Amino acid sequence: MEARFVSIAELAEAPSVAVVVDVMRAFTVAAWAFGQGAERIVLAESLDEALALKARHPDWVALKDGPPAPGFDAVNSPGLLRSLDLGGRTVVQKTTAGTVGALAVKEASLVLCAGFVVAEATARLLRTRASDSDSDCYGVTFVVTGEGGRADEDLACAQYIARRALEAGTDAAEYLRRAGCSRAAAELAQGVRRGVHPDDVALCLELDRFPFAMVAALEDSLMVLRPCAVPSPADELSI
């Protein structure tokens, strides 16, 4: 597998396979939403679109970055979201970086959204995809969404998943350390950002909390994220 790491701005054209990484906090929140029973997540282009979707579908759950706001049901915090029962619900998510990155690669043949909480499942899905590919050079573009592509928590996670896809025994410790020392982690811990729970950083660094990967695809003009079961390591050995 050949991996490249780019910012959203560096995406000149849609890659074939894209892994969009937002550790703190969009795709940690998305994973928690699925963990709390959500059926799907609609990735909104803007706050106005999120509110319009919510207005058309009052039973949907709309969430955004920052503090609570009229029209939105939740904020982009895993610590706050984990108390919600989302069984069978559709969630509408709009964030500053993660959803923007996923929408930027919506024409790719495969779009995965990831953080540390789904790292192993994402790596396993990439390994499975590579084994099914006819190409000797299977390319994956990792989109580092935070801070214009410079967010170390996102780059560390992207590099870990890329390495893990090649070497199943890769140790996560150094990658998690980098993420824990990142600017985003400090801002969350210090309360610089709003709409934050004290457990958010720890939850974002909880390796492999969930057993699924997350696949985004266009459905009726909407970019929709869904959980995806992946083969277990034992299944991979039998391929």
Side-chain angles (χ1 to χ4, degrees), residues 181-196:
C181 293
S182 67
R183 175 180 173 181
E187 289 181 351
L188 290 173
Q190 295 165 9
V192 174
R193 302 186 186 187
R194 302 182 66 187
V196 176

Side-chain angles (χ1 to χ4, degrees), residues 76-90:
N76 192 47
S77 161
L80 295 171
L81 192 76
R82 63 182 172 177
S83 64
L84 299 182
D85 179 3
L86 299 175
R89 306 285 292 278
T90 293

Side-chain angles (χ1 to χ4, degrees), residues 1 4 9 12-13 120 149 206 220 236:
M1 187 188 84
R4 70 184 187 115
E13 58 185 23
E120 172 57 20
E206 191 174 3
D220 298 326
E236 288 183 33

Side-chain angles (χ1 to χ4, degrees), residues 56 106 135 155 185 216 237:
R56 292 200 298 271
K106 62 184 178 182
S135 173
L155 180 59
L237 292 175

Side-chain angles (χ1 to χ4, degrees), residues 152-177:
D152 201 34
E153 74 281 2
D154 293 340
L155 180 59
C157 183
Q159 291 171 338
Y160 173 69
I161 292 172
R163 178 63 63 183
R164 186 83 178 179
L166 295 172
E167 301 175 16
T170 300
D171 188 350
E174 176 59 19
Y175 301 95
L176 290 169
R177 185 201 64 78

